[in-house]
Amino acid sequence: MVSAAEQLAANLKFSTFAKAGELKQRLLFTLAALLIYRLGTFIPLPGIDTTLLAKLFESAPNTVFGMLNVFSGGALSRSAIFLLNIMPYITASIIIQLLTSVVPTLEALKKEGESGRKQINQYTRYLTVLIATVQATLTAQGLNSSALEPGWFFQLTTVVSLVGGTMFLVWLGEQITARGIGNGASLIIFAGIVAEMPTALYRILEQGRSGVLSPAVILGLFVMMVAVVTVVVFFERAQRKLTIQYPKRQVGNRMFQGDSSHLPLKLNASGVIPPIFASTLLYLPATIEQIVGKSSETLNQVLPYFGPGQPLHILFYIALIVFFCFFYTPIVINPKDTAENLKKYGGFIPGIRPGQRTAEYIDYVMTRITLVGAAYVSAVCILPEILSYQMQAPFYFGGTSLLIVVSVTMDTVAQVQSHLLAHQYEGLIKKAKLRGAKRR
């Protein structure tokens, strides 16, 4: 039997979208915010010679800087004020969430509701400033040789500009989440990757025209992209549904039969956070070494083994993705809190005692499906990257980029559909009230 929500979703038409005024405002606000972000990626740092870095990226798109340039929407190659992008905020968020699990004070704040959440967000912002300042300082030292007037003043203005740019993106992302559609931080990364894809397509076709890549290789790259998108869509929609039963209840002299529903557990509940954070940590040592330009002979010998396509790079990338999948999933769906909420409203899993036993069962099921989800995310991120590296294709065709683009698109479309359903429900309620008033 088709549920009411599914029936409404099937009946959604363009006319429904045209009447949803709030949704249109949210979409326009999101587009305007992303446009502001894109404009910022073209504003260069004061006193920098942008031609030097541009030549570096043209000659070496498959380096560590190439991957970071994708996530920054090209801001790195243009030495823009949004060079650090929103990555310091993502790093700070993961660190705070990790500390929340081990520090009693933060754990207590998390349970305080909205006020506690605001305080934790404030701590995240403070840590973002600290991380951004460290990264901006290293970047300023590396860019000093590319400055028109090198010196301490250039480095100071660079640090202020980069930290200010990151914090502006943090604020912009929060505004998108609150007043727009979708998750603001994810959409900012999504916009940067999508904006760089036409450049990648042009470079691929240019390499084919010059004979660097054969037509078979180019065709294989596009087939790989379609395959990755198909796999991501299939696995991101995959769920394990746990049956939830509610007891019979008596209202007056009437006895109502107990209802049943489902608790959906996504195969990849952690979303795109594991590959993003794994990439950040994996490329951090090489990034510092290339930016600072001062390293020991031992470090110079070791770092090449962690380059894209190398065995150690692949091994550590998979290990980090698996770790963050298992770390972040309980944060998204906490088994203990879920079990307590079910017990509070009288719900239970058939055959499982409410309370602690239910929490243990949910944790058991989540561990099993997270293992499959971690394997899927690892395969999607690693296999295309290996093929792209072997074919000398740009980083834009890597699995991590495609996973972020497809996942964020699906989440945003789901939110749009939710707003449309809510709008249609409101219309049905208003019609029902009008009919009731006419009958009276």
Side-chain angles (χ1 to χ4, degrees):
M1 182 178 293
V2 180
S3 64
E6 291 173 343
Q7 185 65 38
L8 280 174
N11 294 332
L12 287 177
K13 299 179 181 179
F14 182 77
S15 58
T16 306
F17 175 79
K19 296 177 182 178
E22 181 186 357
L23 177 60
K24 289 191 291 185
Q25 291 179 358
R26 286 179 172 272
L27 288 173
L28 290 175
F29 180 85
T30 303
L31 291 175
L34 294 179
L35 178 61
I36 292 174
Y37 159 67
R38 286 302 301 159
L39 291 176
T41 61
F42 289 90
I43 301 176
L45 291 168
I48 190 73
D49 185 0
T50 58
T51 58
L52 295 178
L53 276 181
K55 292 179 180 179
L56 172 65
F57 286 97
E58 288 178 2
S59 61
N62 279 339
T63 61
V64 171
F65 280 123
M67 187 279 296
L68 298 176
N69 190 49
V70 172
F71 285 158
S72 67
L76 183 56
S77 62
R78 292 187 286 268
S79 305
I81 58 174
F82 290 164
L83 185 150
L84 297 180
N85 204 270
I86 204 168
M87 291 304 178
Y89 176 74
I90 294 176
T91 305
S93 299
I94 297 295
I95 293 174
I96 291 296
Q97 288 169 356
L98 178 61
L99 293 177
T100 302
S101 304
V102 296
V103 179
T105 304
L106 293 176
E107 187 176 2
L109 277 176
K110 184 180 178 180
K111 296 180 179 180
E112 289 182 4
E114 183 65 20
S115 60
R117 186 185 65 82
K118 290 182 178 179
Q119 188 63 43
I120 291 177
N121 288 342
Q122 193 63 27
Y123 290 153
T124 305
R125 297 187 190 100
Y126 293 151
L127 185 57
T128 302
V129 173
L130 177 61
I131 295 174
T133 301
V134 173
Q135 293 184 358
T137 302
L138 295 174
T139 303
Q141 293 176 2
L143 294 176
N144 191 49
S145 59
S146 303
L148 298 176
E149 296 182 6
W152 67 267
F153 183 75
F154 166 77
Q155 295 187 33
L156 178 62
T157 56
T158 298
V159 170
V160 172
S161 299
L162 292 179
V163 174
T166 296
M167 296 312 298
F168 175 80
L169 288 182
V170 170
W171 174 82
L172 191 65
E174 292 176 349
Q175 294 302 309
I176 293 175
T177 303
R179 302 171 59 184
I181 291 290
N183 181 276
S186 299
L187 280 173
I188 287 175
I189 298 175
F190 163 85
I193 295 174
V194 171
E196 290 299 299
M197 281 188 171
T199 303
L201 180 61
Y202 170 78
R203 183 173 292 146
I204 287 289
L205 296 178
E206 183 64 23
Q207 289 179 344
R209 187 186 66 82
S210 60
V212 176
L213 295 178
S214 66
V217 171
I218 296 176
L219 179 62
L221 286 173
F222 285 104
V223 170
M224 180 192 72
M225 288 183 61
V226 174
V228 170
V229 171
T230 304
V231 169
V232 171
V233 171
F234 175 79
F235 278 94
E236 289 298 321
R237 294 176 63 90
Q239 295 178 344
R240 168 70 187 278
K241 294 183 178 180
L242 298 181
T243 302
I244 305 298
Q245 188 70 39
Y246 292 92
K248 297 180 181 180
R249 57 191 178 93
Q250 184 174 357
V251 179
N253 296 325
R254 299 185 62 182
M255 179 67 70
F256 290 88
Q257 187 69 26
D259 298 327
S260 63
S261 62
H262 293 91
L263 175 64
L265 300 177
K266 288 188 63 177
L267 188 68
N268 179 31
S270 55
V272 298
I273 293 298
I276 290 176
F277 198 60
S279 300
T280 303
L281 289 184
L282 189 63
Y283 288 101
L284 186 60
T287 303
I288 294 175
E289 189 272 339
Q290 291 198 29
I291 289 177
V292 177
K294 298 177 181 179
S295 60
S296 64
E297 183 178 346
T298 303
L299 190 60
N300 282 328
Q301 294 176 353
V302 171
L303 283 177
Y305 292 100
F306 289 88
Q310 300 300 320
L312 284 178
H313 171 92
I314 296 171
L315 180 62
F316 276 90
Y317 198 16
I318 293 175
L320 288 172
I321 288 176
V322 172
F323 170 77
F324 286 114
C325 280
F326 279 94
F327 164 72
Y328 200 76
T329 297
I331 295 177
V332 178
I333 304 175
N334 189 300
K336 186 177 180 180
D337 293 344
T338 303
E340 290 179 355
N341 290 332
L342 288 176
K343 185 178 181 180
K344 179 180 178 181
Y345 292 101
F348 62 93
I349 299 175
I352 306 296
R353 183 179 300 175
Q356 182 63 28
R357 292 291 299 168
T358 299
E360 292 175 356
Y361 180 74
I362 294 175
D363 182 66
Y364 169 73
V365 174
M366 285 180 56
T367 300
R368 295 177 65 186
I369 64 176
T370 300
L371 180 61
V372 179
Y376 137 72
V377 175
S378 300
V380 167
C381 292
I382 291 299
L383 294 179
E385 185 169 311
I386 295 175
L387 293 175
S388 298
Y389 180 77
Q390 295 297 328
M391 297 176 183
Q392 294 299 311
F395 254 105
Y396 316 97
F397 289 91
T400 305
S401 302
L402 292 178
L403 176 64
I404 294 172
V405 170
V406 177
S407 299
V408 173
T409 300
M410 292 178 63
D411 291 341
T412 305
V413 170
Q415 286 202 22
V416 171
Q417 290 178 342
S418 298
H419 280 278
L420 289 175
L421 285 172
H423 177 77
Q424 196 163 17
Y425 271 126
E426 291 177 0
L428 292 175
I429 293 173
K430 289 180 181 179
K431 289 181 180 179
K433 289 181 178 180
L434 288 176
R435 290 175 184 173
K438 290 181 179 179
R439 289 175 182 175
R440 293 176 185 176

